[in-house]
Amino acid sequence: MESLFDRPQQGERAVLVHIDFSSKSSREDPDEFEMLADSAGAECTSILRGSRQQPDARFFIGSGKAEELAQRVEEDEADLVIFNHILSPSQERNLEHQLKCRVLDRTGLILDIFAQRARTFEGKLQVELAQLEHLSTRLIRGWTHLERQKGGIGLRGPGETQLETDRRLLRARIKAIHKRLDKVRKQRDQGRRSRKKAEVPTVSLVGYTNAGKSTLFNHLTTSEVYVADQLFATLDPTLRRLDVEDVGAVIMADTVGFIRDLPHKLVEAFRATLEESKEADLLLHVVDACAEERAENIFHVNEVLREIKADSVPVLMVYNKIDLMGDVKPRIDFDDQGVPRAVWMSAKTGAGTDLFFEALAARVGRKLVDGKVCLTPAMGQLRALFHQLGVVNEESYDEAGNTVLDIRLPEKEFQQALKKTNLTALQIGFE
């Protein structure tokens, strides 16, 4: 018998099912659905479309449509039927009985893609946790022959059915994964505390899946994160150091892409990863500027940010892929206070990169000390320290023989230099 833990192999022939409902909140994007199926490796033979006021309790699509779907499966010799909707365990079971093939809903499809993309130990654990929690509600499927108690020589025991045994094993495995992920979470927290202590700003890339986050990440940090024109190409978080003028070191995090109706189990399982966004000093919300559903995608990303309680983190919008928009030029949009709120650029061609860094520096830049200081000959140690830090723009002397330095450096470093030499800002003529 096929294991319930086996995932569909790539290249399976699949019939896709998309139903339009009258309620706008229940509508899914059929084009995005095809991209999801393609990203999972399914070979789409056909798409069954329809419209309903509300889902059917037994088959989701109604008995007539279910018969039409069964005929389509037989004609296409399909191995799998994928729904662009979330099915209940009973609907999934009824459909499999009617269609004589496996049925996968939107949540199961996204889980499968995540399982294929996970590369790190943590990522694999998070995917397994989400899969097991999804599976626990559907464990009855395919196991009805094991509902009776075990019997026979060597099998007579405490009266536990095979189904109860499987549920117990599932619970034990879920508990073990939670313990391991808690350990990972503590390690991440420790890393974040160290960065905060060193006052290194953290910026996190967020955005709808396939918006170009990894391309931007690679372009800015000269990394080699996997990039592909498919949904959820990036799953495991990556951190890199970025040097920004007038700011210094900045930690940039590339995170998993968001999608409408991202399964709640996935949001919960990837909490440790998504906390990189929650704890960031600034979110870089990357948007596919040429996408027709741009406004909807922004809305769905904001919904997920609210769900992980990251909606209070400052945001800089990054409108990417302007190279596909014809006459759109790189630019910065400012708010009423003159603070950058959006950058228009192309991560692929590099157009607008200088403007991006300008906007980033303005948003995460620490308070700078920029001006002239007057040092007496007795303050030679401070002069040497400023030169050692590389913050002297110009050096001259006044009529009294004092050294006049034009300096520019973060206020924290300025105060540390004064403390080392036991001087005050007033003593060196800086107010």
Side-chain angles (χ1 to χ4, degrees), residues 6 105 192-193 269 320 348 381:
D6 288 341
D105 69 354
R192 278 193 289 267
R193 281 196 298 271
N320 188 28
K348 188 176 182 180
Q381 184 186 357

Side-chain angles (χ1 to χ4, degrees), residues 89-235:
S90 62
Q91 287 169 339
E92 203 170 290
R93 196 159 57 246
N94 293 336
L95 283 164
E96 287 191 340
H97 180 74
Q98 174 83 0
L99 304 175
K100 304 293 189 291
C101 73
R102 274 182 302 134
V103 174
L104 204 61
D105 69 354
R106 184 181 173 87
T107 299
L109 178 61
I110 294 174
L111 282 170
D112 185 86
I113 296 170
F114 271 51
Q116 292 182 46
R117 300 281 188 270
R119 294 288 178 269
T120 65
F121 175 69
E122 178 195 353
K124 288 175 181 176
L125 276 180
Q126 289 171 325
V127 170
E128 186 183 355
L129 175 62
Q131 283 184 313
L132 290 176
E133 290 185 335
H134 180 65
L135 179 66
S136 63
T137 63
R138 289 159 161 75
L139 194 58
I140 189 74
R141 184 184 67 179
W143 291 77
T144 51
H145 66 297
L146 297 174
E147 285 181 353
R148 58 186 178 274
Q149 292 182 352
K150 296 176 184 177
I153 298 172
L155 294 175
R156 281 182 277 263
E160 184 176 46
T161 66
Q162 180 66 49
L163 191 59
E164 287 166 347
T165 302
D166 294 322
R167 281 183 178 143
R168 179 168 50 79
L169 292 172
L170 264 182
R171 285 195 297 269
R173 179 61 181 159
I174 287 172
K175 188 176 179 181
I177 294 174
H178 271 299
K179 284 182 72 173
R180 288 189 179 185
L181 286 176
D182 283 340
K183 188 176 180 183
V184 170
R185 196 167 287 129
K186 285 173 184 173
Q187 290 170 342
R188 283 189 178 279
D189 287 341
Q190 190 175 5
R192 278 193 289 267
R193 281 196 298 271
S194 298
R195 293 198 295 271
K196 282 186 184 289
K197 194 174 180 182
E199 293 196 0
V200 179
T202 302
V203 296
S204 181
L205 291 168
V206 298
Y208 208 76
T209 183
N210 207 33
K213 294 183 299 300
S214 293
T215 303
L216 178 63
F217 184 82
N218 288 346
H219 175 64
L220 298 174
T221 63
T222 61
S223 296
E224 293 183 0
V225 171
Y226 177 66
V227 174
D229 185 18
Q230 57 186 196
L231 304 184
F232 302 117
T234 302
L235 185 57

Side-chain angles (χ1 to χ4, degrees), residues 10-123:
Q10 288 197 352
E12 281 191 291
R13 294 171 63 82
V15 175
L16 308 186
V17 180
H18 174 82
I19 304 296
D20 284 317
F21 292 97
S22 54
S23 170
K24 278 192 174 183
S25 60
S26 303
R27 289 182 187 173
E28 300 291 356
D29 183 352
D31 294 331
E32 182 180 86
F33 178 41
E34 288 188 60
M35 284 189 72
L36 278 170
D38 184 62
S39 296
E43 180 190 337
C44 174
T45 59
S46 61
I47 301 179
L48 183 71
R49 295 175 183 262
S51 58
R52 288 183 66 88
Q53 288 294 323
Q54 58 187 24
D56 176 71
R58 190 176 177 210
F59 290 121
F60 189 86
I61 53 176
S63 56
K65 210 71 175 173
E67 288 178 12
E68 184 185 342
L69 180 57
Q71 188 177 346
R72 185 79 65 91
V73 168
E74 189 177 346
E75 288 172 357
D76 293 357
E77 297 181 352
D79 315 293
L80 180 67
V81 171
I82 308 176
F83 277 71
N84 192 21
H85 312 277
I86 297 172
L87 303 176
S88 70
S90 62
Q91 287 169 339
E92 203 170 290
R93 196 159 57 246
N94 293 336
L95 283 164
E96 287 191 340
H97 180 74
Q98 174 83 0
L99 304 175
K100 304 293 189 291
C101 73
R102 274 182 302 134
V103 174
L104 204 61
D105 69 354
R106 184 181 173 87
T107 299
L109 178 61
I110 294 174
L111 282 170
D112 185 86
I113 296 170
F114 271 51
Q116 292 182 46
R117 300 281 188 270
R119 294 288 178 269
T120 65
F121 175 69
E122 178 195 353

